[in-house]
């Protein structure tokens, strides 16, 4: 609907522009013809018996009416001409719009409609890019589900195997029992992670996010998030540094969903950090916005992958390496939540440092 309105506006604008120019040309031509006609006919000696004399005499006595009728006839002729042309414009554009979502060549229109042609081709290219992204996302989703289904077998087989040993081997030593139980628990936890990824893929829809907003302290939210991540940091011998503005920062947000953004960013930072390094959380006020940065030290993300990490189901690791990442929804979810809050999120990575920057409106 928006595209049709835009195209109609362009065509009508071009139509009235051309009609106005033609009307001005008609007025100028009429004035010139009257001037030349009066000059030429005034230099001629009339005797009253010429065939054109009554008509010329009437024009001389009714110059105002003649000018008005001539102008009216010119405008009518111009109107009919350009009305037919306008109908042809719309007919050509309607035929082109039927091909707008097709896979054929780019749309070509007459030179008068060059601006419309460019606009429609831009729409067509955008549609093709969106369709390509959707196909790629769907393919990544399908591949991920296939790989996850395959990977479910490994921990499940291990759990069944070790539990079978514990059931059948009655004389097994306590030490070996502890080892089997420990391995079974670890594999069961891995199995739970994979099942959770399935739920994440099947239930989450980025187009149905709704916010339940309230005013909260950003400082306290980040401090709490960092505190809850301490056990996760400890597993990789990481430290967390909070470098926040001394003044309290208040924001209006959906606390639960925004918490998920910071959880995803910290989880991503932990996943790709070198051991014995620091994860840094910074806040900085920038006029009416607050800037939150999550920085980690690890292998830099290649630029071609950095542009795609916010796409659904896109993961830095190959799909078979499911132990190194989730369903590829975390950053896509984070971007959508931040966008709904009127903010933005971006990532930069160079010299073994990766920084995710979130900008959100701050309460005045």
């Amino acid at each position: 609907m928006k595209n049709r309105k835009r195209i109609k506006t362009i065509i009508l604008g071009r139509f009235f522009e051309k009609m106005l120019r033609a009307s001005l040309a008609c007025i100028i031509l009429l004035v010139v013809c009257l001037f030349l006609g009066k000059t030429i006919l005034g230099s001629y000696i009339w005797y009253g018996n010429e065939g054109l004399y009554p008509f010329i005499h009437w024009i001389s006595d009714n110059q105002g009416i003649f000018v008005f009728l001539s102008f009216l006839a010119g405008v009518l002729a111009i109107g009919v001409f350009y009305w037919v042309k306008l109908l042809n414009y719309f007919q050509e554009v309607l035929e082109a719009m039927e091909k707008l979502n097709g896979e054929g060549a780019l749309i070509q229109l007459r030179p008068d409609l060059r601006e419309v042609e460019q606009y429609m081709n831009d729409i067509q290219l955008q549609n093709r890019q969106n369709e390509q992204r959707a196909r790629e996302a769907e393919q990544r989703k399908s591949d991920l589900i296939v790989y996850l289904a395959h990977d479910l077998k490994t921990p499940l087989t291990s759990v069944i195997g070790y539990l079978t040993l514990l059931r059948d081997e009655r004389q097994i030593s306590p030490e070996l029992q502890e080892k089997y139980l420990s391995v079974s628990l670890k594999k069961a936890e891995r199995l739970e992670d994979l099942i959770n990824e399935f739920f994440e893929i099947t239930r989450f829809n980025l187009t149905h996010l709704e916010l339940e907003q309230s005013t909260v302290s950003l400082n306290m939210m980040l401090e709490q998030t960092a505190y809850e991540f301490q056990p996760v940091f400890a597993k990789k011998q990481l430290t967390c540094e909070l470098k926040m503005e001394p003044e309290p920062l208040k924001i209006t947000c959906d606390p639960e969903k925004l918490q998920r953004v910071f959880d995803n960013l910290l989880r991503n930072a932990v996943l790709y950090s070198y051991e014995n390094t620091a994860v840094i959380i910074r806040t900085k006020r920038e006029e009416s916005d607050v800037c939150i940065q999550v920085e980690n030290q690890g292998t830099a993300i290649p630029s071609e992958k950095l542009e795609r990490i916010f796409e659904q189901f896109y993961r830095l690791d190959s799909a078979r390496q499911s132990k190194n990442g989730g369903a590829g929804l975390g950053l896509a979810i984070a971007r959508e939540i931040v966008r709904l809050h009127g903010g933005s999120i971006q990532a930069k990575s160079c010299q073994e440092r990766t920084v995710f920057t979130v900008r959100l409106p701050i309460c005045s």
Side-chain angles (χ1 to χ4, degrees):
M1 182 64 69
K2 182 179 178 181
N3 292 336
R4 290 184 179 182
K5 187 175 181 181
R6 171 65 176 163
I7 291 171
K8 183 171 71 173
T9 302
I10 294 174
I11 293 176
L12 290 177
R14 183 62 55 85
F15 167 75
F16 285 114
E17 178 187 351
K18 284 182 171 292
M19 191 171 178
L20 180 60
R21 289 180 179 178
S23 298
L24 291 174
C26 177
I27 293 173
I28 294 172
L29 180 63
L30 181 60
V31 171
V32 170
C33 289
L34 287 173
F35 176 78
L36 291 177
K38 191 172 183 179
T39 302
I40 295 172
L41 294 175
S43 62
Y44 185 80
I45 300 174
W46 297 90
Y47 297 98
N49 56 356
E50 293 87 355
L52 289 176
Y53 180 78
F55 179 66
I56 299 299
H57 184 68
W58 182 88
I59 293 175
S60 178
D61 292 341
N62 301 276
Q63 293 184 24
I65 296 176
F66 176 76
V67 170
F68 174 75
L69 291 177
S70 299
F71 176 73
L72 192 62
V75 169
L76 182 62
I78 291 171
V80 171
F81 174 79
Y82 278 101
W83 179 255
V84 173
K85 200 168 187 179
L86 179 64
L87 293 178
N88 291 334
Y89 281 173
F90 278 114
Q91 181 63 33
E92 186 173 348
V93 170
L94 287 174
E95 291 175 358
M97 288 186 72
E98 294 177 358
K99 308 174 185 177
L100 198 57
N101 296 320
E103 297 293 333
L106 293 178
I107 293 169
Q108 291 185 342
L109 301 175
R110 63 182 70 189
D112 288 349
L113 298 175
R114 190 69 63 197
E115 187 178 355
V116 178
E117 176 188 301
Q118 181 63 45
Y119 181 71
M120 295 181 73
N121 283 327
D122 289 343
I123 295 173
Q124 188 176 43
L125 291 174
Q126 186 65 42
N127 288 341
R128 290 180 182 177
Q129 291 173 0
N130 292 338
E131 290 172 2
Q132 181 64 26
R133 292 192 192 100
R135 284 195 294 267
E136 290 176 356
E138 189 62 29
Q139 186 61 48
R140 288 195 298 269
K141 177 180 177 180
S142 300
D143 292 344
L144 190 59
I145 290 175
V146 171
Y147 293 144
L148 287 174
H150 179 274
D151 289 344
L152 281 171
K153 296 179 181 179
T154 303
L156 183 59
T157 302
S158 297
V159 169
I160 294 173
Y162 283 112
L163 290 178
T164 302
L165 286 174
L166 289 171
R167 183 194 64 185
D168 296 342
E169 298 292 337
R170 298 296 181 182
Q171 305 301 321
I172 195 169
S173 65
E175 292 80 10
L176 205 52
Q177 286 184 12
E178 179 66 27
K179 179 180 178 181
Y180 288 173
L181 286 172
S182 177
V183 173
S184 297
L185 179 60
K186 185 176 180 180
K187 296 297 182 180
E189 289 173 346
R190 177 58 189 151
L191 191 60
E192 181 185 31
D193 291 339
L194 291 170
I195 293 172
N196 286 337
E197 288 187 29
F198 267 116
F199 280 120
E200 187 83 348
I201 292 170
T202 55
R203 78 175 178 83
F204 201 86
N205 190 335
L206 293 182
T207 62
H208 289 85
L209 285 177
E210 294 182 1
L211 301 182
E212 297 179 5
Q213 295 189 340
S214 60
T215 301
V216 300
S217 169
L218 179 63
N219 302 57
M220 291 183 62
M221 179 183 288
L222 293 173
E223 288 172 358
Q224 180 181 347
T225 305
Y227 177 79
E228 292 173 354
F229 262 79
Q230 288 305 320
V232 182
F233 292 141
K235 287 182 180 180
K236 209 167 181 179
Q237 292 82 49
L238 300 174
T239 59
C240 182
E241 299 179 14
L242 291 170
K243 298 182 178 180
M244 297 192 292
E245 291 276 350
E247 62 175 306
L249 297 172
K250 297 284 186 178
I251 58 173
T252 300
C253 66
D254 185 322
E256 182 179 344
K257 290 186 174 61
L258 197 59
Q259 179 78 36
R260 184 167 188 175
V261 173
F262 299 136
D263 283 350
N264 286 338
L265 294 181
L266 286 177
R267 200 173 301 279
N268 189 79
V270 171
L271 191 62
Y272 295 102
S273 287
Y274 296 143
E275 292 188 357
N276 300 303
T277 58
V279 175
I280 303 172
I281 303 174
R282 297 188 186 89
T283 63
K284 183 180 180 181
R285 183 161 186 168
E286 297 179 346
E287 297 181 354
S288 60
D289 295 335
V290 60
C291 173
I292 306 106
Q293 291 185 326
V294 177
E295 178 182 329
N296 71 281
Q297 186 176 350
T299 303
I301 303 173
S303 57
E304 66 274 9
K305 292 185 176 181
L306 196 64
E307 296 175 356
R308 303 186 61 190
I309 58 176
F310 293 105
E311 295 178 11
Q312 293 184 54
F313 308 110
Y314 183 80
R315 305 195 310 171
L316 290 175
D317 301 303
S318 63
R320 294 307 304 271
Q321 294 175 311
S322 54
K323 65 180 181 179
N324 290 330
L329 276 171
L331 292 177
I333 293 169
R335 180 179 63 176
E336 185 64 15
I337 292 173
V338 171
R339 186 189 67 80
L340 288 174
H341 282 86
S344 64
I345 183 171
Q346 60 182 12
K348 292 184 179 180
S349 186
C350 63
Q351 297 180 352
E352 297 188 327
R353 288 193 178 274
T354 300
V355 181
F356 283 86
T357 302
V358 177
R359 285 183 171 83
L360 294 169
I362 194 169
C363 294
S364 56

